[in-house]
Amino acid sequence: MYKKNKRNQLFTALCILCSSFLQAQQKYQSPVTENTEKVASGKFKPTWESLQQYKTPEWFRNAKFGIWAHWGPQCQPEQGDWYGRFMYDEGGAQYKWHVEHYGHPSKAGFKEVIKDWKAENWDPEKIVALYKRVGAQYFFAMANHHDNLDLWNSKYQAWNSTKVGPKKDIISGWAAAAKKQGLPFGLSVHAAHAWTWFETSQRSDKKGPYAGIPYDGKLTKKDGVGTWWEGLDPQELYAQNHPLSAGSAESITSLWGQWNWDNGASIPSVEYCENFYNRTMDLINIYKPDLLYFDDSGLPLYPVSDAGLKIAAHYYNTNMAAHDNKLEAVLFGKVLTPEQKKCMVWDVERGVPDQIQNEAWQTCTCIGDWHYSRAIYDGNGYKSAKTVIQMLIDIVSKNGNLLLNIPVRGDGSIDDKEIAILEDIAKWMDINKESIFDTRPWSVYGEGPAAEIVNPINAQGFNEGKVTLTAQDIRYNQKGKILYATALGAPVENVSLKLLGKKKNNTTIKNISVLGSKEKISWKQYPDSLVIQKPKFIPNNIAVVFKVQYADAAKSN
């Protein structure tokens, strides 16, 4: 029996070893070399274990609020998100709009949208100066999207904004503006998924006069003779010289279940992974961003390639070398495992966790669509300043930051309704910013009706707006001996804070005031609550901040 058990144990161990070996082989079907761009030597190696040495810098934890220009050629049509993919979806709204304004996608594909994009009214200094005045503590620009166009003078991508479209170095313009305003500069990189994202460009109409005629996704360099794009290879843009992913020909949404390169996703070639790696390394080496965002689960191209791991190690090592061996970089990823959250900052798209997080994290969201939408403008569909600020307060109470995208029009301007929203945010910030910046979470993030509702995030996030916030909802955060208790609205009666009753909190309260008011506030602490008399003057109807001063540092049981 003993020998049999030993044989079983040995067999099990061998199975595990073989399984691990096969997983390792599968993990990097497209490993990248360092023939052109070398990973900088240093503390971090391109492994998850090594990246767990990461610690979020204090400057980012203090910053709390950033603004993002998620801007590229897909903003030119003003038809909203994922235009470059959906314009190839026969019968869809963006397909119909494209046929009407550009022509059929077998003749006029996404490259024609790039040609049309001129950015003629773009003034990065003016825009970033406004964002600084609104209260942004860092600024983000999009370096490329899933449409695969690089927005700088990229030496590894001929399809870039200095050679086509606006004929401008977009990232250099944003970088200079951020530097002038003294704002940390972030770059977002989305191009890892162009391989599958652009698969719709391989389709053709199933009915009508163009039935069976392929869209332009399979064009090659030789097809460009005599055209405006002569000398450029469409495959460097569309990357579609490969079989379709499972379900791609039938469903526009199949991609959503294949974001991790599984469930039948077409696996990128070695050449594709090498190109993405080189482009991103080039971007880091030129601009040395303070923040780097990947629109990927974990790291880009993981687990089919080690490109993302090598990029992350290089980013951290070069940042440390530039800051006297101190790591000041912030790297973001989505849908992270607990181990991966130790390697970088967790980004939650259009959502907020319903509890305090141990590690620093960030919500990325937008006042409208990620890419500019004329319909949202015309329909007054933007998030209000009230919604944005209440989100920010809730996020900060849970140890997070907010990165807010203000959609930019194709011409490079932001519209009058966006400016009005930003001005309203600025007015609130002018009075209440001390309750946001440089703070830390309290032991409990809040109380009130919304705090009692379970609101889990879904995949990347996507739970914002599902819970209604009112003046009865309180959010807490602290700074030394000061506790900020913020009512998410204008109180209409006395404010009762159960978490600050003597039984829950035995710290001595010295004073309570309202930010933005000189009124003397009356209050009384009972065993089960702290009751603050409704102020006679309410500074705003967005969120009223009660500044609670303690004799000792704020605490709660």
Side-chain angles (χ1 to χ4, degrees):
M1 181 65 72
Y2 174 78
K3 290 183 178 180
K4 184 177 181 181
N5 287 339
K6 290 294 288 184
R7 285 197 301 271
N8 288 341
Q9 292 172 9
L10 180 60
F11 177 75
T12 301
L14 286 171
C15 288
I16 293 172
L17 182 62
C18 290
S19 176
S20 299
F21 176 77
L22 291 172
Q23 288 175 10
Q25 293 299 303
Q26 183 180 14
K27 182 179 292 185
Y28 304 130
Q29 293 180 44
S30 305
V32 299
T33 65
E34 297 178 47
N35 293 336
T36 306
E37 298 290 344
K38 308 290 186 183
V39 175
S41 61
K43 177 179 179 179
F44 292 91
K45 309 302 178 187
T47 67
W48 288 112
E49 292 75 18
S50 180
L51 295 179
Q52 287 185 29
Q53 300 174 87
Y54 178 74
K55 183 177 180 181
T56 308
E58 288 299 298
W59 77 260
F60 177 74
R61 298 194 66 201
N62 291 333
K64 307 301 182 187
F65 180 49
I67 295 183
W68 190 2
H70 188 281
W71 180 53
Q74 289 178 87
C75 296
Q76 178 63 26
E78 299 190 353
Q79 296 299 302
D81 289 346
W82 281 27
Y83 184 89
R85 178 172 171 84
F86 291 148
M87 58 159 279
Y88 294 105
D89 185 38
E90 182 184 9
Q94 288 161 314
Y95 168 93
K96 292 178 180 177
W97 191 94
H98 187 86
V99 170
E100 180 180 350
H101 291 85
Y102 286 97
H104 191 266
S106 63
K107 298 180 178 180
F110 182 71
K111 60 188 183 304
E112 306 304 322
V113 177
I114 294 173
K115 179 177 181 287
D116 197 33
W117 180 42
K118 302 303 180 188
E120 63 272 21
N121 294 320
W122 178 49
D123 187 342
E125 286 193 9
K126 181 179 179 181
I127 291 175
V128 177
L130 171 61
Y131 294 166
K132 173 75 176 289
R133 184 168 63 80
V134 168
Q137 302 296 294
Y138 51 100
F139 170 74
F140 253 93
M142 187 172 70
N144 51 38
H145 196 251
H146 312 313
D147 59 32
N148 220 20
L149 181 77
D150 285 351
L151 304 183
W152 74 99
N153 189 16
S154 174
K155 63 183 178 181
Y156 296 105
Q157 173 59 300
W159 290 86
N160 71 69
S161 63
T162 71
K163 294 181 173 63
V164 293
K167 306 289 182 67
K168 298 175 183 178
D169 191 325
I170 302 298
I171 298 305
S172 290
W174 286 128
K179 183 177 181 179
K180 184 174 182 178
Q181 295 301 321
L183 290 177
F185 183 51
L187 290 170
S188 67
V189 175
H190 309 246
H193 278 280
W195 181 271
T196 49
W197 191 83
F198 257 140
E199 285 185 351
T200 51
S201 68
Q202 293 193 45
R203 293 177 173 183
S204 62
D205 283 3
K206 295 180 180 178
K207 56 186 178 181
Y210 291 94
I213 300 175
Y215 302 153
D216 70 331
K218 286 285 194 179
L219 292 180
T220 63
K221 189 174 183 177
K222 67 179 182 180
D223 295 312
V225 176
T227 71
W228 70 266
W229 48 273
E230 184 173 357
L232 292 171
D233 186 352
Q235 288 311 306
E236 291 184 20
L237 179 70
Y238 297 138
Q240 291 309 302
N241 190 20
H242 64 81
L244 294 174
S245 301
S248 182
E250 297 79 26
S251 172
I252 193 69
T253 62
S254 62
L255 176 65
W256 298 343
Q258 298 167 335
W259 207 248
N260 299 330
W261 306 104
D262 54 6
N263 296 327
S266 175
I267 302 303
S269 67
V270 172
E271 293 76 15
Y272 179 85
C273 295
E274 291 273 2
N275 180 256
F276 175 83
Y277 166 81
N278 286 328
R279 288 159 64 188
T280 309
M281 295 284 277
D282 178 47
L283 180 72
I284 293 168
N285 292 337
I286 294 173
Y287 297 103
K288 300 174 175 58
D290 302 289
L291 311 98
L292 184 61
Y293 169 109
F294 288 121
D295 194 3
D296 298 272
S297 300
L299 286 168
L301 297 170
Y302 184 82
V304 300
S305 172
D306 59 353
L309 288 166
K310 288 182 175 177
I311 291 167
H314 177 77
Y315 178 52
Y316 286 161
N317 289 337
T318 53
N319 182 271
M320 288 187 70
H323 293 91
D324 297 323
N325 212 36
K326 182 180 180 183
L327 184 58
E328 297 288 357
V330 187
L331 175 64
F332 301 90
K334 297 181 176 181
V335 198
L336 304 182
T337 67
E339 291 74 21
Q340 290 170 344
K341 287 180 182 179
K342 298 174 184 177
C343 303
M344 66 188 85
V345 173
W346 179 36
D347 181 84
V348 180
E349 181 176 350
R350 291 189 182 271
V352 181
D354 56 10
Q355 298 296 327
I356 293 177
Q357 300 298 301
N358 292 329
E359 305 290 342
W361 60 280
Q362 175 181 268
T363 283
C364 67
T365 193
C366 182
I367 64 170
D369 272 1
W370 290 114
H371 293 101
Y372 193 89
S373 169
R374 172 60 59 171
I376 289 179
Y377 172 85
D378 290 339
N380 295 315
Y382 289 138
K383 287 183 175 70
S384 66
K386 181 176 183 177
T387 296
V388 170
I389 289 168
Q390 289 183 350
M391 279 190 69
L392 174 64
I393 294 164
D394 184 44
I395 288 164
V396 169
S397 75
K398 297 170 182 173
N399 203 26
N401 287 29
L402 171 62
L403 177 61
L404 180 70
N405 177 49
I406 305 298
V408 181
R409 299 178 66 184
D411 68 2
S413 65
I414 58 175
D415 66 48
D416 59 316
K417 294 178 183 179
E418 293 173 320
I419 292 172
I421 292 166
L422 290 167
E423 294 291 355
D424 286 342
I425 294 173
K427 290 175 185 177
W428 189 89
M429 283 287 197
D430 286 344
I431 295 171
N432 299 288
K433 61 186 176 185
E434 73 167 80
S435 69
I436 298 295
F437 306 132
D438 303 322
T439 63
R440 294 293 182 269
W442 195 40
S443 56
V444 183
Y445 77 86
E447 60 178 293
E452 299 171 5
I453 299 173
V454 176
N455 186 28
I457 62 174
N458 177 27
Q460 292 97 321
F462 303 115
N463 69 344
E464 70 179 21
K466 294 184 178 180
V467 175
T468 301
L469 300 172
T470 69
Q472 284 73 48
D473 290 299
I474 308 297
R475 294 294 178 265
Y476 295 103
N477 57 333
Q478 63 181 332
K479 187 188 300 179
K481 296 181 181 181
I482 296 172
L483 178 69
Y484 297 100
T486 304
L488 301 181
V492 296
E493 56 188 14
N494 292 347
V495 178
S496 179
L497 306 177
K498 295 179 181 179
L499 293 175
L500 299 186
K502 290 181 179 179
K503 288 182 180 178
K504 292 273 188 179
N505 189 292
N506 57 12
T507 307
T508 303
I509 298 175
K510 291 178 61 177
N511 185 54
I512 298 177
S513 59
V514 173
L515 296 187
S517 173
K518 295 181 180 179
E519 178 184 347
K520 183 176 175 61
I521 301 299
S522 298
W523 54 274
K524 187 169 183 179
Q525 192 176 27
Y526 297 96
D528 295 325
S529 64
L530 169 68
V531 177
I532 303 173
Q533 185 174 324
K534 178 182 174 294
K536 296 177 182 177
F537 172 69
I538 303 295
N540 64 85
N541 67 351
I542 292 178
V544 176
V545 183
F546 294 95
K547 183 177 181 178
V548 182
Q549 294 177 286
Y550 285 93
D552 300 306
K555 61 183 180 180
S556 172
N557 295 326

